[in-house]
Amino acid sequence: DIVMTQSPDSLAVSLGERATINCKSSQSVYNSENYLAWYQQKPGQSPRLLIYWASTRQSGVPQRFSGSGSGTDFTLTISSLQAEDVAVYYCQQYYITPWTFGQGTKVEIK
Amino acid sequence: QGHLVQSGSELKKPGASVKVSCKTSGYVFSTYAIHWVRQAPGQGLEWMGWINTKTGNPTYAPGFSGRFVFSLDTSVTTAHLQISSLKADDTAVYYCARVDSPYHYYAMDVWGQGTTISVSS
């Protein structure tokens, strides 16, 4: 199985500041595309797709969310943290089954 | 655009069975696969597997074969998850989610609201 490891487990960022979450896969998830997605889960809600193919923003997702990286190392960046961005963020590979998620990164307001 | 609506919460005793439904609407049912994801209390997301909505063929993640069964009722564009011989550690929220192809791998773009299954004597 591909192991997805996120860092940090949690972070506190001031409003308007940048938040950066890292995700590392135990093997490459690249094959013409990077089969890597990012999801946001707010308390009591279902996960929401933010980014797919590592860097493509899902329709309706604010531009402050961006994804980057390739192969085994990926990053989700929130350029200017808003109060509504408080959530747990998960990376996920859909390259091979079983699909696997990172353990999640909790983002809070400092 | 697509919408997935799941059945309501269930409280079950150990050893019982439960069937979770995932009613889809707003898109052509057979053009999107349905995936299932589990989230134990206070834990992260765990992929359980998926079902091909064209062929009905299920694929289970390790640890989710045997007691877990994915099925379809295409007449009402609904996917089902049945869990038998329930155990306390099956207590979790179960999500269905769609993927934009019955054959190829894409991200899960629309999710159901989740169904809480609680197993307790």
Side-chain angles (χ1 to χ4, degrees):
Chain A
D1 298 4
I2 297 179
V3 177
M4 308 298 291
T5 304
Q6 292 180 227
S7 62
D9 289 336
S10 64
L11 76 161
V13 176
S14 300
L15 288 172
E17 296 300 304
R18 178 185 300 261
T20 301
I21 301 169
N22 299 302
C23 173
K24 188 174 184 68
S25 58
S26 60
Q27 67 183 77
S28 176
V29 297
Y30 178 80
N31 183 2
S32 301
E33 294 278 4
N34 286 290
Y35 285 63
L36 190 286
W38 289 96
Y39 299 89
Q40 175 194 62
Q41 187 177 33
K42 296 182 179 180
Q45 296 187 16
S46 306
R48 171 196 182 195
L49 176 64
L50 296 177
I51 303 285
Y52 57 96
W53 300 134
S55 61
T56 302
R57 200 179 300 112
Q58 174 71 340
S59 175
V61 173
Q63 289 192 326
R64 62 181 180 274
F65 291 93
S66 63
S68 63
S70 185
T72 62
D73 292 279
F74 302 92
T75 300
L76 174 70
T77 301
I78 309 172
S79 60
S80 175
L81 191 75
Q82 305 299 304
E84 61 265 31
D85 300 335
V86 169
V88 179
Y89 294 83
Y90 296 93
C91 62
Q92 178 240 332
Q93 66 81 18
Y94 48 102
Y95 181 65
I96 57 170
T97 60
W99 290 5
T100 46
F101 292 88
Q103 79 277 17
T105 294
K106 187 174 185 178
V107 174
E108 300 171 309
I109 305 296
K110 186 187 291 183
Chain B
Q1 186 72 348
H3 204 46
L4 306 181
V5 177
Q6 298 183 228
S7 50
S9 299
E10 304 253 18
L11 174 60
K12 295 289 186 181
K13 294 191 183 303
S17 296
V18 69
K19 194 169 188 177
V20 177
S21 65
C22 174
K23 168 67 179 167
T24 74
S25 61
Y27 68 93
V28 179
F29 183 65
S30 61
T31 61
Y32 288 77
I34 294 292
H35 291 242
W36 292 93
V37 174
R38 182 171 77 176
Q39 187 168 38
Q43 302 300 308
L45 303 170
E46 185 176 19
W47 184 76
M48 301 173 64
W50 67 288
I51 186 163
N52 184 317
T53 50
K54 268 198 185 299
T55 65
N57 183 52
T59 299
Y60 300 98
F64 291 102
S65 57
R67 296 192 301 116
F68 299 82
V69 176
F70 306 146
S71 62
L72 303 173
D73 185 343
T74 56
S75 66
V76 289
T77 65
T78 298
H80 297 282
L81 162 65
Q82 182 156 0
I83 312 171
S84 58
S85 303
L86 283 162
K87 307 174 184 178
D89 59 8
D90 292 325
T91 295
V93 178
Y94 292 83
Y95 295 100
C96 60
R98 73 170 197 183
V99 167
D100 188 8
S101 169
Y103 295 108
H104 301 293
Y105 294 166
Y106 298 100
M108 294 175 276
D109 69 341
V110 176
W111 292 63
Q113 84 277 19
T115 296
T116 300
I117 304 298
S118 300
V119 184
S120 174
S121 53

